[in-house]
Amino acid sequence: MTALLAGAHAQETTPSDWPEPVVDYYTGTILFDRFEYTRTDEDENIGVWDMVGWYGGDTYRLYFKSEGENKQNDGEPTDIERAEILASKLIAPYWELQAGLGTRGTLTSESNMENYAVISLYGLAPYQFEMDNSLMINEDGDISFAMEAEYEVRVTQTSYLQPRLAISASLSESERFDRQSGFNSIRLGLRYRYEFSREFAPYVGMYWSKSLGNTADVAELAGEPISETGLVLGARFWF
């Protein structure tokens, strides 16, 4: 009885204009997970970026994702691997379902950019694996899939090892965009970064990539290499 009276008294004396304990608010971040310079085993120098930006609250967000590269001194334009705008909804702890539109191709006035719709499952898998799984359908109805996974191993309070895996595949062949059906490629990377601050962390690393299946067969017939290794130097930063 004493406890009930005390609770009733507390409710009566609480000011009516007090704010809610937790107020939903909107914020945003731009993260360059990879901003690097690559030297390949074919003596090629490549600039690479991989970024994601978002704005929103805990449940709904708007994302922009972009990846691409530019080979230095080859006379070729910058290659956009993806540029996507997505609406996102939190569907489970640590997991977001995203849907939107994207484009990819080379940045030239005569470029035939590939436009597509995309659905992504984006989040943190068990054991702290960061994952981005995307299903894409282009304007011709061709279906492709991309999966990226990263994992952070803490070495010290300010340094990390970051293994990375990327796999791409196509459910249908696309003659227009020179993409074969089946698994297309796999890429493994390992980076060591040191955080001068939470917002800025330079890194060094290496990677290995290989064409797979029909994509590798076509490359071999054309006399092109089907695997590549490289050293990277770059920085991870956000604001």
Side-chain angles (χ1 to χ4, degrees):
M1 181 62 71
T2 303
L4 291 174
L5 291 174
H9 179 71
Q11 291 180 355
E12 292 175 359
T13 57
T14 300
S16 59
D17 59 346
W18 274 20
E20 295 293 330
V22 178
V23 178
D24 192 18
Y25 67 96
Y26 295 99
T27 185
T29 296
I30 296 176
L31 166 67
F32 280 82
D33 189 46
R34 291 185 297 146
F35 192 77
E36 62 193 31
Y37 182 82
T38 299
R39 179 74 172 180
T40 74
D41 56 353
E42 296 291 329
D43 296 328
E44 295 177 329
N45 301 316
I46 306 174
V48 178
W49 78 88
D50 179 3
M51 65 81 64
V52 57
W54 61 267
Y55 181 81
D58 293 333
T59 304
Y60 297 97
R61 292 179 177 178
L62 184 66
Y63 276 81
F64 176 71
K65 301 177 184 178
S66 176
E67 291 185 48
E69 63 178 37
N70 180 265
K71 290 184 180 181
Q72 307 296 304
N73 304 317
D74 67 345
E76 297 296 326
T78 298
D79 182 30
I80 302 295
E81 296 181 12
R82 70 170 175 174
E84 300 171 355
I85 296 179
L86 307 111
S88 179
K89 183 181 186 299
L90 187 71
I91 59 172
Y94 309 112
W95 286 104
E96 298 176 57
L97 183 63
Q98 305 175 333
L101 300 174
T103 189
R104 54 190 173 189
T106 54
L107 289 181
T108 63
S109 58
E110 301 177 354
S111 175
N112 183 20
M113 299 294 287
E114 180 181 8
N115 303 312
Y116 57 88
V118 56
I119 299 175
S120 297
L121 186 62
Y122 183 79
L124 197 64
Y127 302 102
Q128 305 296 306
F129 284 91
E130 297 181 18
M131 302 197 70
D132 190 355
N133 307 298
S134 299
L135 183 69
M136 294 151 284
I137 306 175
N138 70 10
E139 52 205 312
D140 297 332
D142 301 314
I143 302 173
S144 58
F145 174 79
M147 186 274 286
E148 296 180 0
E150 295 181 347
Y151 183 73
E152 292 189 348
V153 180
R154 185 187 293 272
V155 180
T156 68
Q157 290 295 320
T158 55
S159 62
Y160 299 82
L161 279 175
Q162 185 183 52
R164 185 174 187 272
L165 167 67
I167 296 174
S168 64
S170 297
L171 301 183
S172 56
E173 181 180 356
S174 175
E175 295 184 3
R176 179 183 173 191
F177 298 107
D178 193 26
R179 188 169 53 247
Q180 307 302 313
S181 60
F183 284 98
N184 300 135
S185 66
I186 183 172
R187 186 183 184 104
L188 296 170
L190 180 65
R191 291 164 176 79
Y192 172 78
R193 75 173 188 267
Y194 181 86
E195 292 185 344
F196 285 102
S197 68
R198 295 294 297 173
E199 295 83 4
F200 180 75
Y203 61 78
V204 295
M206 61 182 299
Y207 72 89
W208 170 82
S209 64
K210 188 178 189 307
S211 299
L212 303 173
N214 296 329
T215 302
D217 294 339
V218 171
E220 285 184 326
L221 289 175
E224 299 175 354
I226 64 171
S227 64
E228 178 181 283
T229 58
L231 300 176
V232 301
L233 175 66
R236 182 182 190 267
F237 57 93
W238 60 270
F239 48 89

